[in-house]
Amino acid sequence: MPTADRNSLLQGSFEQLKRKLARQVTELLETRYELEINTAGKLIANFFQEGVMPAYYFFSNWPEDIADHLFVITQLLTANTEFIKLESRDGKCLSYFINVGRDFPGKLARIIEENEQTDIVAFDSIKTCSGIRILTLEKGGRSEFPWAPEEIAAMENIRRELSQLGLPFTRPFLKSLPPNYLREEVPIVQQRSILKSRIIRHLRLFQLAMENEGVVLLCDDAEPDSDQLNQGRQEIRLTIAVRQPDRAFVGKVLHIIETHGINLHRTYFDIFENRETKDRVAILSLYILASQPPTANILELIKKIKVVPPSEEKKTSLRLEKELIGAIQTCSSSNATEEQLQAAFRLLTARIGENRDIGNHREHLNFLLNALTDFYDACERLGIAETIPVLRRLLAFNSMEEFFVSSQREGNKANIQGFRFNHNIARGNGKGGLRLDPIVQFDEVLALAFMMTWKAARTRILFGGAKGGLIINPRDFIDHRLDFIDTLTNFGRSLFLVTGPARDVPAGDVGCGPSEIGILFEGFKSALRDLGLMAFGLKKGITLIGNRAISLYEARKILQEHFDIDYLDQRLLKALITNETYLELVAAPQITGKPRMGIEARNGATGRGLCYSILALVSRLYLDGRWQPETPLTDGEEKLLRQVALINGPMLEQSSASEAITAETWQILCASAYQKLLKNKRVIVQGSGKVGASAIRELAFFGVNLVAVADVGGAVVGDHLDGEEMIAAAQSAKERSVIAARHNVARRITGAREGAVILEMPCDILLPCALENVITAAVATRVQASIIACGGNGTNTSKAEQILFNRGISVLYDFLANSGGVTASYFEWLTNWADRLRYEAEIIRAEPFDISEMDRLLMPEFRERIKRILQEEEPGRATEGWNNLLRDIMFAAVNDDYDFAHRQGISMKQAGMMNAIARVLAAEAARQNHEERLAFGNELPEATKEFMKPFMTHPEFTMLSRLG
């Protein structure tokens, strides 16, 4: 078929696609934004007419995003606003809508500089014929848009035509195209020949960048623009390409343009990354009006820009991160093909295989890889490591939310990256803390959310896994407290939209304590009130929360699905917008660890749970002759230890209404037996934060000998160090480190890296309570502890875990030992829910409150016990009840793992992971209908089904089956 005829047919097809898109956007404007039919029609007619927007725009945005853009431009952008920022629904794009007349030289440079930390891989800056500038920034990892059959054929034709040209680097260039690049290219190519298209120009620049060191610069007259974005003006095009660009590359170019007073008419930027070789080429296209041409001096300055490529070690690390993230995203995508799934699992199996080789102490120190390795080890023992449908169900994430968070310090503005990832929710809402730290990154948050699923399952609390993070250093804001509060509030607005008491419940973590949680809580309340105003009918159109536009439809959906509020109940909606007490009660269970409306048992809970796990393990080691007390125990004390050694899962189910250890027994154990078992035992703690400090205080009661403590400032070593002095020094606004302590200090080590030497000093109990990967394979060969109790997440690498097990060192693994915090968070969440439901019943509906309304949220084996605690005063007897429940949960988990590990000849971590996986698999089955459950069962090997029988007959399975 002649080219002209083929293009004519394609043109017709894409015009049809555009008309279909226009109908979808019109419907959204009418239904979600409540615009009148006549108004919506006029907006669409203007926006979709030829020449107003580039053709690619309509094929590189979802209908919902286009509707948002239209509403912002026409309804919200006013003379008083310089610009409005709006995030795409997937959190991958941030668009700036800059008002007419606000297009100044340097504006783009400042915006790019503000977003330098957010890993921008593409951006477009265009000026519409109405004078409004739209600047859209795109982060890496954006998913592909669905393709129409005509688009698939056209894209394959582009690939074929490029390949037939025989140009160098065609194959690696095609391998490097961003996900939606070809889809955007089709309407451009169809209006020109392939030889005059943008893609051929990019291919040639890609070639030049690959063949040359430094910056490649081309300057030419731009051809007439088929999209009419040049608005009839002659343009000069500067195209700059560079291999392995650093983050500052674009900013350096734009700074030169800005300082010479040149205004950019339109600008495009793309990074092309070869998925095989991981080579990256950045191409920046600057369109400048011919009336203001760049001088030779400007061109020379651009050519001289120095680019600092990443080191080979950094490139290897980035490659691994992207491979692992890509594999998890494939498992999480409902659109993934069988071929893509097979490739993802082959990659994971290969990387995990390398990570298991303890003969080679070289490690990537990637937390996600270690988490996946531990998971796969347990799956192999369960017999499901080769069963891809089951593995996919366990690996898939429910959601991966990303945010552009506005920050300002000393007048310097920046958008920084924020995350909230929600893993498996078969057993309940997502639950996980928020990290405020400069080392927060995508794969780390992914790993933490993944491990939270197994942490919740191992402790039996009815939560799934989630985690969040913000790439920020709170210490940078010590003298700028208001700037920090504003930044945190902006993060909170974004978090609000993807969390909620009935969906996902954040808490504190590194850098995020009660004060920070209190700030977030106040922001949640104001956003919730906004939704209430919309649902009640007092606020029309949309509301902006964070950088996202929320319609009435979405406001109602969030109230219903995230907060369990019936938006048709006018009594509840009226109370939500007029009664702050009720507003606080509804928002309270959205976040835990609050300074107000929390529970006393949450304070120090992680350290308390860590201490309980140590007591449980020491009991078992003593009874097995592997732990020597300073003073012999009496027969009566040994008898009590044998009683607590029998506390396990089945025992808790049989005596669910009462405590596993009587008050009298616990008093004797703490006053005598455990004093003898722990008196003068040498303890080393790495980390002086919330967990480390709490653990120091809890263990001090039993007379341990604190011989070394380390933190970010270094370490102190001595004999019978003063724990309270350590904590006070670390919390001091001036010192902020234990190295300021003096009492009984024999040696002081300056520097966090240097202070890590204490991990290898002789001791009885070693507590790594800092960040991940502190005990590596190399360190594990030199550890001189009898017990390692992991107060931090991922403190031991997978190789280290295996080496420690082979050496006979008892390890209380992370997602058990440090689970006291999330368990107490569950208690706080329950308390807040009960307070809200009681208020709705007694105050709003004027009827008695039935505590049985809480049954659907309660761990079935502790249902009656929890309901009694919920009716006690807080603080007081309720605090005692929660602490005793936490103790029983920890003792049962340690005993279960200890016994199973001993029988199977495996580590306690492998035992705990197998237990957690089986519990989640049972929950997956419980949520299915009869036919789905049969099909699911057929996917499991017989040995797996045998192992899962206790989980399939557990009261939790019955409860989740009813909930569906």
Side-chain angles (χ1 to χ4, degrees), residues 625-646:
R626 297 171 57 197
W627 187 268
Q628 298 303 316
E630 184 175 70
T631 305
L633 272 67
T634 66
D635 291 343
E637 290 166 346
E638 281 197 19
K639 182 179 179 181
L640 293 181
L641 289 181
R642 295 189 188 282
Q643 290 178 13
V644 298
L646 296 175

Side-chain angles (χ1 to χ4, degrees), residues 499-610:
T499 59
R503 186 181 192 273
D504 182 0
V505 183
D509 197 352
V510 176
C512 187
S515 173
E516 289 76 19
I517 292 169
I519 294 168
L520 292 170
F521 178 52
E522 293 302 315
F524 287 176
K525 285 164 48 184
S526 64
L528 180 60
R529 184 175 181 276
D530 260 8
L531 297 189
L533 286 168
M534 293 184 73
F536 197 58
L538 295 181
K539 193 170 188 177
K540 299 292 185 180
I542 67 171
T543 188
L544 286 175
I545 297 180
N547 293 322
R548 298 191 183 176
I550 304 300
S551 66
L552 173 63
Y553 166 83
E554 289 164 314
R556 288 174 170 173
K557 186 176 181 182
I558 292 171
L559 288 173
Q560 184 79 65
E561 297 179 2
H562 298 196
F563 290 87
D564 196 25
I565 288 181
D566 181 0
Y567 59 81
L568 297 178
D569 190 329
Q570 294 294 298
R571 291 175 301 176
L572 296 183
L573 292 182
K574 184 178 180 181
L576 200 62
I577 62 176
T578 61
N579 184 335
E580 187 182 9
T581 298
Y582 181 61
L583 180 69
E584 286 194 327
L585 288 170
V586 174
Q590 187 173 6
I591 192 166
T592 57
K594 300 179 291 295
R596 284 193 315 110
M597 304 184 75
I599 60 171
E600 183 63 31
R602 181 65 183 84
N603 297 327
T606 306
R608 194 174 309 118
L610 184 61

Side-chain angles (χ1 to χ4, degrees), residues 299-332:
L299 302 183
E300 195 61 32
L301 288 171
I302 292 174
K303 287 180 183 179
K304 289 181 179 179
I305 288 175
K306 297 294 183 183
V307 177
V308 183
S311 65
E312 287 302 315
E313 183 180 359
K314 182 64 174 176
K315 283 198 290 185
T316 299
S317 175
L318 290 172
R319 184 180 301 124
L320 176 63
E321 289 171 19
K322 289 187 176 181
E323 286 177 345
L324 297 176
I325 292 169
I328 295 298
Q329 287 175 329
T330 298
C331 293
S332 306

Side-chain angles (χ1 to χ4, degrees), residues 701-948:
F701 175 81
F702 300 101
V704 300
N705 178 9
L706 188 64
V707 296
V709 182
D711 61 13
V712 68
V716 290
V717 182
D719 191 62
H720 289 286
L721 297 171
D722 186 332
E724 288 302 324
E725 185 189 16
M726 299 288 126
I727 295 169
Q731 294 177 350
S732 165
K734 180 180 179 182
E735 306 294 348
R736 300 202 297 271
S737 173
V738 296
I739 61 172
R742 296 287 181 268
H743 188 65
N744 287 345
V745 173
R747 180 183 172 198
R748 186 172 288 102
I749 305 168
T750 303
R753 185 185 297 273
E754 293 77 8
V757 70
I758 70 166
L759 295 168
E760 301 171 18
M761 292 180 177
C763 66
D764 298 293
I765 304 173
L766 174 62
L767 287 88
C769 299
L771 298 178
E772 52 267 9
N773 298 324
V774 294
I775 300 183
T776 62
V779 173
T781 63
R782 300 190 292 269
V783 165
Q784 301 179 68
S786 299
I787 292 175
I788 298 177
C790 302
N793 291 301
T795 55
N796 305 349
T797 67
S798 295
K799 287 182 182 179
E801 289 277 357
Q802 188 59 46
I803 291 169
L804 294 168
F805 173 69
N806 293 344
R807 292 185 59 204
I809 296 174
S810 298
V811 178
L812 285 164
Y813 58 91
D814 51 0
F815 68 90
L816 169 61
N818 69 19
S819 61
V822 71
T823 304
S825 283
Y826 173 67
F827 301 157
E828 179 178 331
W829 179 75
L830 291 177
T831 301
N832 292 153
W833 263 110
D835 290 344
R836 169 192 160 177
L837 295 178
R838 184 180 292 109
Y839 189 90
E840 287 178 352
E842 296 176 353
I843 306 301
I844 297 179
R845 293 194 297 271
E847 60 188 32
F849 171 58
D850 182 358
I851 191 67
S852 296
E853 287 187 51
M854 293 289 297
D855 284 359
R856 62 191 172 89
L857 307 174
L858 305 180
M859 302 160 74
E861 61 267 60
F862 301 119
R863 183 171 292 145
E864 297 308 314
R865 187 172 169 183
I866 291 175
K867 285 198 285 192
R868 285 203 306 271
I869 298 172
L870 288 172
Q871 295 178 86
E872 299 283 0
E873 287 192 10
E874 173 67 51
R877 289 183 60 84
T879 303
E880 181 184 356
W882 292 131
N883 285 335
N884 289 344
L885 181 53
L886 171 62
R887 176 200 64 201
D888 293 352
I889 289 171
M890 298 302 294
F891 268 74
V894 171
N895 286 332
D896 281 339
D897 289 345
Y898 188 92
D899 289 333
F900 186 74
H902 183 73
R903 291 196 303 269
Q904 298 295 319
I906 60 177
S907 70
M908 287 182 67
K909 187 167 194 175
Q910 288 174 317
M913 182 65 85
M914 290 173 68
N915 181 292
I917 290 172
R919 195 172 296 279
V920 171
L921 279 177
E924 291 277 1
R927 300 279 189 177
Q928 298 167 342
N929 60 39
H930 181 68
E931 291 75 17
E932 291 171 331
R933 196 175 296 171
L934 286 176
F936 182 55
N938 291 334
E939 294 172 344
L940 300 174
E942 288 303 318
T944 308
K945 286 190 270 191
E946 186 64 28
F947 182 85
M948 286 187 60

